[in-house]
Amino acid sequence: MSTQPTVGKPVSRLEGKLKVTGAAKYAAEYDVPGLLHGYVVNSTITKGKIVRVDTGRAKAVNGVIEVITHQNRPKLAWFDLQYTDMDAPPGVVFKPLYDAEIKYNGQPVALVVATDFETARYAATLVSFEYEEEPFETCLDNNLEKARDAKKGFATILRPPPPKPTGDFEGAFKNAPVKVESEYWHGVEHHNPIELFATTTVYEGDGKLTIYDKTQGTINNQVFVANVFGLHFKDVRILAPFVGGAFGSGLRPQYQLFLCVMAALLLKRNVRVVLDRKQMFSFSHRPQSVQRTRFSTDENGKLTGLNHSAVSETSQFEDYTEQVVAWSHKLYPAPNTLFEYKLVPLDVHTPIDMRAPGGVTAMHAIECTMDQLAYKLNLDPLEFRLRNYAETDPSTQKPFTSKALRECYQKGAEKFGWQKRNPTPGSTIRRNKLVGYGMATGMWDAYQFPARMEAMITKEGKLVLNNAVTDIGTGTLTVMSQIAADELGLPLEDVTFNYGDSKKPFSMFQGGSSVTASTGVAIVVAAKTLKKKLFKKAAGIKNSPIAGASEEDVIFKDGNIYLRNDPTAYVSFKDIISLNNGRAIETTNMGAPDVLNLRKYSKAAHSATFVEVEVDKDLKIITVTRAVTAVAAGKIINPKTARSQILGSMVWGISKALHEETIMDEKLGKYINTNLGEYHIPVHADIHELDVIFADEKDTLINELGVKGVGEIGLVAVPAAIANAVYHATGTRITKLPIHFDELL
Ligand code: MOS
């Protein structure tokens, strides 16, 4: 039987068996000879100076090799260095063990290295620090008057400042017949992937290092290590073949990598550093934000004014920014707009991207404000959105490369049964539960970054691909293998996609739902060249069955090159390689977005989420009983892994709306629920019926594959839809996330 295309088929994860059997190895699971174990000591104060360190008792413990603090750390290249990693916001990166200064609570202050983990952890309790404490600020609400514009810098290319105002917002708002003014708030969240941040550094001698690291970007961390420690790039190899979730926390190198490499170079030994769950709360997080919206419409429910202002926290050393306030005008047309985005520096670690950074924050405020307006207008929330449907991007006047949001609304509403909704809040009752329906729109950018792909046909006639990209659990390995198999007409089992290795050709970190487009397009480009090369060789063979044919006359299938109109005439890949003296035919090519053409368009993935909640009449406990998310994200390469991405995002949406929050004790400047017992995430019993629909969105403009990415788009609309459903159930509008049941009592 001849090979069937795999794109569009629900292929199961190729590495699934390795994962469920435990054969897949993660960064902390590599056993190397003479391995030493590092355990981190974290500061117990929030701001001030270390005035005295006593490492004597720790060093006296049998098995302890070294205790490294700011007093005895080696001198390093990066202490004079500004640039550190591809995702560094403007500012000066935090440097562990740099000096006596404490900038945030939980800052790493020492690394205890011992022959085994338990000894290191025990000895870490014996290291004592004396501090001189200084006053600190960790509360956003108390410091809103300090809000200022974000500094500009390299990372702001992807995070542009707020758009310029249009029309006359204040005038339009003042005179509008229908308007809503609202404030939205959400707290800090920590990513908490199940795999702890960990690094195993293999000291190879001669300044060479092989590093197993938990990261979303192998090359990003290779560059970081080489720069910081003054090593040659080629001498640093970062491997991350399996990553147990990251959600943005692995976009930048985290401090365990630095400490582990430092110890390995200092001691000339193999070293591993694993953070514990509490320490997972001692670096970056999703920033808390306060958002104010003022939206107005005419009598017919056409938006006339959009004002969205957001204030987020950042650290004292870097200006982390998100795209928060630009979204409403990409979603809805309005002649008068005003957008503001400000930062308040606090004595915390710099925030970092967390799943749908900025987008999910924004959509909460925008889509709940839209819900409020719908009630004021006495319009169905879906009808209100359809009245303000943007055929072209209102913020740029450019057409979208594609936009099947209307189909998402229609299919999502139908599947959910939205038309059965009684508009009156509190009107639907099931046993002792108030039932509410809520909906919201979602939008996320369709990113594509350059990527280089090495592709070769081996002497077995099989395809091997090499790229540095990671698969953080999204299904990248499977999806890339499918794309490659179809490009060459090979069965899936004849494709090997090597990844998660900084030695392979370039890839950005895996983030922003960009990888399917970025790495996938690189495969398409490399496959094209590879086919040209194979064809040329095949046509040049003496008495070649395809001699005289042009490239258009042949097809690639089952490891052969056939004449299109004579399937008996063919040359096999194996024959080509053997006539090439057994040498593989190979190529390395760059795939990149067609920037010149894309400048003429706006590009985005869209979604619509419909949610049913039940709220206990007496106890006010909220349950999301059903949710449907319809997604328009271009071509879906693998409906199974894509669905899993959206399901995971929907669970996160429920989590963000009802569970997740890192709580700061403002007196101590310290997060207090730093464990998975008290940092609430949903368990199985919190998750009920979830449905995913993909719109049939054909996009011939966005890239060679017509894909947009299907990670974060599944999350963006969910928290707002839940908040809107809670309002519909109870008549109470809760504008803070997560929504606590006691706010409804
Ligand atoms: Mo992400 S926040 O796309 O790593």
Side-chain angles (χ1 to χ4, degrees):
M1 213 188 81
S2 78
T3 306
Q4 296 303 309
T6 65
V7 168
K9 303 267 161 58
V11 177
S12 291
R13 226 168 256 275
L14 300 178
E15 81 287 16
K17 191 170 169 194
L18 292 178
K19 283 182 172 168
V20 297
T21 55
K25 275 198 186 182
Y26 294 83
E29 298 181 320
Y30 287 86
D31 280 318
V32 287
L35 185 65
L36 298 176
H37 299 259
Y39 192 87
V40 180
V41 181
N42 302 81
S43 110
T44 53
I45 68 157
T46 302
K47 192 175 178 171
K49 276 188 178 53
I50 302 167
V51 290
R52 202 183 61 83
V53 187
D54 180 3
T55 58
R57 284 175 68 211
K59 275 186 178 158
V61 174
N62 199 10
V64 170
I65 305 288
E66 184 59 281
V67 180
I68 311 170
T69 69
H70 69 284
Q71 293 179 336
N72 65 341
R73 61 153 176 84
K75 182 169 167 28
L76 300 169
W78 86 338
F79 292 124
D80 317 308
L81 200 77
Q82 280 295 314
Y83 174 81
T84 53
D85 69 273
M86 288 185 221
D87 207 28
V92 177
V93 71
F94 167 71
K95 298 169 178 130
L97 311 193
Y98 178 56
D99 59 13
E101 199 187 335
I102 300 299
K103 296 172 192 270
Y104 73 95
N105 204 302
Q107 169 178 327
V109 288
L111 183 76
V112 179
V113 185
T115 48
D116 63 285
F117 177 76
E118 287 74 16
T119 301
R121 183 170 57 177
Y122 166 65
T125 66
L126 304 177
V127 182
S128 76
F129 284 89
E130 245 174 63
Y131 299 102
E132 218 168 72
E133 289 193 60
E134 288 166 29
F136 55 82
E137 296 293 343
T138 52
C139 179
L140 179 62
D141 294 348
N142 290 349
N143 288 282
L144 288 173
E145 80 287 350
K146 289 182 192 151
R148 56 152 175 83
D149 289 333
K151 293 185 198 115
K152 295 197 177 96
F154 176 72
T156 43
I157 298 169
L158 284 176
R159 308 157 192 276
K164 300 232 153 44
T166 55
D168 165 24
F169 174 79
E170 295 297 349
F173 191 75
K174 201 165 126 214
N175 300 319
V178 186
K179 55 187 146 185
V180 162
E181 183 165 356
S182 212
E183 195 169 285
Y184 289 87
W185 184 94
H186 76 89
V188 167
E189 286 176 88
H190 279 83
H191 308 65
N192 276 302
I194 288 302
E195 185 197 8
L196 301 163
F197 269 81
T199 305
T200 303
T201 301
V202 183
Y203 184 79
E204 313 269 18
D206 297 339
K208 284 196 178 59
L209 300 173
T210 302
I211 302 166
Y212 298 95
D213 188 37
K214 179 201 176 75
T215 178
Q216 290 171 250
T218 56
I219 288 182
N220 195 28
N221 285 11
Q222 176 198 25
V223 170
F224 168 83
V225 168
N227 276 344
V228 167
F229 295 96
L231 305 170
H232 291 294
F233 291 114
K234 63 171 173 36
D235 291 341
V236 178
R237 183 179 192 184
I238 303 269
L239 292 159
F242 296 101
V243 181
F247 313 110
S249 60
L251 287 171
R252 301 187 67 187
Q254 295 300 0
Y255 69 72
Q256 95 291 343
L257 171 66
F258 169 79
L259 294 175
C260 185
V261 171
M262 181 180 64
L265 288 171
L266 180 72
L267 302 169
K268 300 189 166 34
R269 295 279 301 269
N270 301 333
V271 181
R272 173 187 300 161
V273 177
V274 187
L275 301 189
D276 63 20
R277 186 53 66 180
K278 186 181 168 69
Q279 289 166 338
M280 293 292 282
F281 292 82
S282 66
F283 49 91
S284 316
H285 55 275
R286 190 196 297 281
Q288 51 182 326
S289 306
V290 183
Q291 301 177 71
R292 196 167 73 128
T293 53
R294 290 184 294 162
F295 289 6
S296 61
T297 74
D298 63 17
E299 282 91 350
N300 300 319
K302 279 261 188 207
L303 285 160
T304 54
L306 296 170
N307 168 217
H308 190 179
S309 307
V311 182
S312 283
E313 64 174 339
T314 190
S315 67
Q316 302 284 8
F317 40 97
E318 287 170 313
D319 270 14
Y320 169 78
T321 59
E322 295 174 330
Q323 178 100 262
V324 179
V325 297
W327 296 101
S328 63
H329 203 212
K330 288 177 188 294
L331 271 170
Y332 305 115
N336 309 290
T337 64
L338 180 61
F339 302 111
E340 295 148 298
Y341 179 73
K342 305 238 183 260
L343 295 179
V344 173
L346 296 174
D347 296 302
V348 296
H349 196 288
T350 311
I352 197 171
D353 288 345
M354 179 189 276
R355 202 149 175 96
V360 68
T361 300
M363 245 39 92
H364 170 222
I366 296 165
E367 289 300 289
C368 288
T369 307
M370 290 294 282
D371 202 61
Q372 288 179 280
L373 272 172
Y375 280 100
K376 275 217 164 166
L377 288 156
N378 214 5
L379 273 180
D380 180 272
L382 178 52
E383 168 58 25
F384 177 44
R385 283 163 177 87
L386 288 170
R387 278 193 198 181
N388 289 283
Y389 193 86
E391 300 293 349
T392 56
D393 181 346
S395 68
T396 59
Q397 317 292 338
K398 292 175 188 175
F400 288 100
T401 59
S402 63
K403 179 177 175 179
L405 176 59
R406 209 184 285 283
E407 188 185 331
C408 292
Y409 284 143
Q410 186 249 317
K411 285 194 169 152
E414 194 178 299
K415 182 92 198 232
F416 180 84
W418 182 256
Q419 69 288 352
K420 291 200 292 274
R421 178 179 184 268
N422 177 335
T424 312
S427 60
T428 310
I429 293 166
R430 194 183 287 155
R431 297 179 302 276
N432 66 329
K433 303 280 167 61
L434 299 163
V435 179
Y437 284 7
M439 61 87 54
T441 315
M443 191 177 194
W444 186 248
D445 205 315
Y447 293 111
Q448 184 191 343
F449 301 119
R452 260 169 89 78
M453 187 64 56
E454 183 178 32
M456 65 181 84
I457 296 292
T458 65
K459 64 177 187 296
E460 293 78 25
K462 298 187 178 185
L463 175 64
V464 174
L465 298 153
N466 291 313
N467 180 257
V469 75
T470 54
D471 182 341
I472 58 174
T474 53
T476 300
L477 164 65
T478 312
V479 165
M480 293 309 142
S481 303
Q482 287 177 265
I483 293 168
D486 285 17
E487 286 296 321
L488 269 294
L490 287 168
L492 209 47
E493 54 274 20
D494 285 356
V495 177
T496 305
F497 180 68
N498 297 310
Y499 63 101
D501 179 353
S502 66
K503 275 241 150 53
K504 309 284 183 213
F506 177 82
S507 161
M508 286 282 279
F509 35 64
Q510 180 163 37
S513 306
S514 66
V515 160
T516 304
S518 310
T519 315
V521 164
I523 290 177
V524 175
V525 174
K528 205 176 258 172
T529 309
L530 192 59
K531 288 200 280 190
K532 242 187 221 319
K533 285 191 169 184
L534 290 166
F535 170 76
K536 235 176 137 184
K537 286 271 177 204
I541 295 171
K542 212 172 157 198
N543 303 325
S544 172
I546 64 165
S550 77
E551 254 188 278
E552 292 71 49
D553 301 331
V554 299
I555 51 169
F556 287 72
K557 211 166 169 56
D558 307 326
N560 301 313
I561 307 177
Y562 290 96
L563 276 187
R564 201 181 285 275
N565 52 18
D566 180 7
T568 63
Y570 66 89
V571 182
S572 75
F573 293 178
K574 272 191 224 165
D575 289 344
I576 298 171
I577 304 298
S578 83
L579 288 160
N580 197 40
N581 299 319
R583 285 194 313 269
I585 305 272
E586 57 185 80
T587 178
T588 303
N589 299 77
M590 192 79 169
D594 184 356
V595 192
L596 283 183
N597 190 44
L598 286 173
R599 268 215 303 242
K600 294 181 252 163
Y601 299 95
S602 196
K603 55 185 176 57
H606 291 86
S607 66
T609 294
F610 298 84
V611 165
E612 179 192 89
V613 298
E614 281 183 1
V615 180
D616 189 288
K617 265 201 208 163
D618 307 308
L619 301 174
K620 305 298 181 194
I621 289 166
I622 306 161
T623 309
V624 175
T625 42
R626 292 192 299 126
V628 177
T629 292
V631 171
K635 186 197 274 180
I636 302 303
I637 304 290
N638 182 329
K640 188 171 188 175
T641 53
R643 179 174 175 275
S644 294
Q645 277 293 298
I646 303 301
L647 284 178
S649 271
M650 289 172 78
V651 170
W652 197 314
I654 293 169
S655 193
K656 182 165 177 55
L658 302 177
H659 300 270
E660 273 187 70
E661 182 182 9
T662 321
I663 295 159
M664 172 72 79
D665 180 328
E666 299 295 356
K667 283 208 190 86
L668 299 172
K670 176 182 181 175
Y671 299 119
I672 48 170
N673 56 334
T674 54
N675 57 74
L676 289 184
E678 293 163 294
Y679 181 88
H680 287 183
I681 54 169
V683 295
H684 202 68
D686 294 308
I687 304 303
H688 299 269
E689 252 184 84
L690 301 182
D691 245 313
V692 179
I693 297 169
F694 290 109
D696 184 19
E697 189 178 72
K698 288 190 183 54
D699 195 324
T700 53
L701 297 165
I702 189 129
N703 53 46
E704 287 84 336
L705 283 163
V707 302
K708 291 181 178 172
V710 284
E712 290 151 305
I713 188 61
L715 167 61
V716 276
V718 180
I722 292 171
N724 292 340
V726 168
Y727 176 78
H728 182 232
T730 63
T732 306
R733 173 84 50 192
I734 308 292
T735 58
K736 282 180 146 187
L737 294 185
I739 299 171
H740 299 295
F741 70 93
D742 55 310
E743 286 152 352
L744 295 168
L745 282 169

